Amino acid sequence: MHWNILTFVVCAAAIWWSGSRLPVHGKTLAERLGIGAAAAGLFVLALITSLPELSVTLSAMIREEAPDLALGNILGSNNFNLTIVALLEMAFVGGAFLKAVDSARYTKSCISLLLLTAMVGAGVVFGEEIGSVYLPVLLFSVPIALVFIVESVCGEFSVVDEPEGEGCSGQGAGMEVGQRSGPGAGMEGGGRERTTAWHAAWFALLAIVVVAAGFVMARSANRIALHEFPGGIVLGQTLVGTLLVAIATSLPEVTVSFAAVRRAGSPDMALGTLLGSNSLNILIFALGAGIHVAVTGTSAWADVSSLNMVNVVAGLVLTAIVLAGLKVGWFRSGSRRHGALLLSMIPIYLFALWLIHRGSTWW
């Protein structure tokens, strides 16, 4: 067990180190390939920072045949990402983080995220009751993919050609976020001198590290979850996925979002990365459920614990709070009520973890 814990920590460190540096090269490649600034912030960075969730989820579902660990990772990571919004509210210079973002764009993101999370909840509740192994994929995975595609085409990702503010410009926020995160001192102040091939090579190498570390970490996490500790305590896959794996795989989002706010003064890029990553995470599980059926012949939706509904409900509440912060006038005024509402997200997240701990840890 000591070896599994050490492996988990080493893999988490590798994911953090590589994942926090991926956006540097991903953003530069997006700019040089002519991808718009909004798409780079909302889609490219979200996609890159979701690579750890992708590798861990696929490994947990296919290699370890532990879809409950995978879903715990996805939902736990999403809730952790949403809680970061409250921390960004405190870190944002001058306060009122949500007041500074483009509310119209991210209102659509929140609404689609609410719908996607509700679909996952439906899969958790009804997946086990469906006898067929293929029908849950059609009822839950396919609609999730369709919602994501429609939102990508008609929602926030369709604004790639709209002008951006100074804080979100490709050479403002993107380069500032990367200046202190790139591998080697040569990135700072000299990033533009690097060739596109150099950035592509680093991007590929770091992506490989993230994916490989994710696969190894999924195995060690599954063994930790099933191990019987002194006193007969078994943590369970839901708790380990929600807490340990979720926080470890969310480290890139934390790094990018805080760098976007504190270093680049770009709240739009920070919130776009968090919300976009959450939607991608749900899509990852939906697609993984289809692969799981093809490889194992069993339904991933039927093999997840009903305890995941705690994460689903918490995710719906946290997303609704962010939506309220974007749309309701006095929430965006920077008042004490506004701050109190957002700070309520932290105890909600911790309470959900406590409920999962109570429900999954047994003797």
Side-chain angles (χ1 to χ4, degrees):
M1 179 48 54
H2 291 90
W3 173 251
N4 287 325
I5 294 175
L6 178 61
T7 301
F8 181 90
V9 172
V10 171
C11 289
I15 288 174
W16 171 80
W17 188 87
S18 302
S20 63
R21 285 155 176 77
L22 270 169
V24 179
H25 307 285
K27 184 66 167 61
T28 302
L29 288 173
E31 291 172 356
R32 295 186 180 183
L33 294 174
I35 299 176
L42 285 165
F43 182 68
V44 177
L45 286 180
L47 177 62
I48 294 169
T49 55
S50 288
L51 277 178
E53 284 86 355
L54 172 65
S55 59
V56 170
T57 298
L58 293 182
S59 177
M61 296 183 74
I62 299 170
R63 186 178 179 182
E64 300 299 318
E65 296 187 18
D68 193 41
L69 178 67
L71 185 58
N73 171 39
I74 291 299
L75 296 177
S77 179
N78 281 10
N79 292 347
F80 185 73
N81 288 347
L82 290 167
T83 308
I84 292 172
V85 174
L87 301 179
L88 288 173
E89 188 72 18
M90 295 184 290
F92 186 62
V93 178
F97 167 71
L98 290 181
K99 183 180 179 181
V101 303
D102 185 343
S103 61
R105 177 185 303 162
Y106 297 116
T107 294
K108 298 177 182 178
S109 300
C110 287
I111 293 174
S112 65
L113 186 56
L114 285 170
L115 181 58
L116 291 171
T117 305
M119 288 181 178
V120 172
V124 173
V125 173
F126 300 109
E128 188 176 4
E129 300 178 5
I130 299 176
S132 170
V133 297
Y134 299 102
L135 188 57
V137 174
L138 296 176
L139 291 178
F140 308 118
S141 295
V142 172
I144 285 174
L146 291 176
V147 169
F148 183 86
I149 292 172
V150 170
E151 178 63 18
S152 300
V153 174
C154 304
E156 69 265 28
F157 302 150
S158 65
V159 299
V160 295
D161 294 324
E162 292 184 6
E164 294 286 328
E166 290 296 325
C168 285
S169 63
Q171 294 179 353
M175 291 306 298
E176 284 289 336
V177 171
Q179 282 178 351
R180 293 176 178 83
S181 301
M187 282 301 298
E188 184 148 342
R192 296 181 183 177
E193 298 177 2
R194 303 294 188 181
T195 64
T196 302
W198 186 88
H199 286 287
W202 264 108
F203 180 86
L205 177 61
L206 293 171
I208 291 172
V209 171
V210 168
V211 173
F215 272 83
V216 177
M217 188 170 73
R219 168 171 288 189
S220 61
N222 193 40
R223 292 176 177 175
I224 293 172
L226 300 178
H227 179 74
E228 184 175 336
F229 289 89
I233 299 175
V234 178
L235 297 179
Q237 294 174 334
T238 306
L239 177 62
V240 171
T242 300
L243 181 59
L244 299 180
V245 182
I247 292 178
T249 55
S250 289
L251 289 176
E253 285 93 337
V254 176
T255 303
V256 172
S257 59
F258 270 87
V261 169
R262 296 298 296 272
R263 297 174 183 172
S266 176
D268 274 273
M269 179 172 288
L271 187 60
T273 299
L274 295 174
L275 296 181
S277 181
N278 280 14
S279 296
L280 279 167
N281 288 346
I282 293 176
L283 178 67
I284 288 169
F285 183 83
L287 297 180
I291 299 174
H292 184 270
V293 170
V295 173
T296 67
T298 60
S299 171
W301 290 105
D303 292 337
V304 297
S305 169
S306 59
L307 194 59
N308 283 292
M309 281 305 298
V310 174
N311 273 329
V312 170
V313 173
L316 291 172
V317 173
L318 293 172
T319 306
I321 291 176
V322 174
L323 179 60
L326 289 169
K327 293 301 294 179
V328 181
W330 60 264
F331 287 171
R332 293 171 53 80
S333 65
S335 65
R336 290 182 180 180
R337 290 181 297 178
H338 167 269
L341 178 75
L342 287 175
L343 290 180
S344 69
M345 298 171 71
I346 298 175
I348 290 173
Y349 171 73
L350 295 177
F351 181 63
L353 287 180
W354 180 79
L355 287 178
I356 292 173
H357 165 72
R358 293 279 295 180
S360 61
T361 305
W362 53 274
W363 289 262

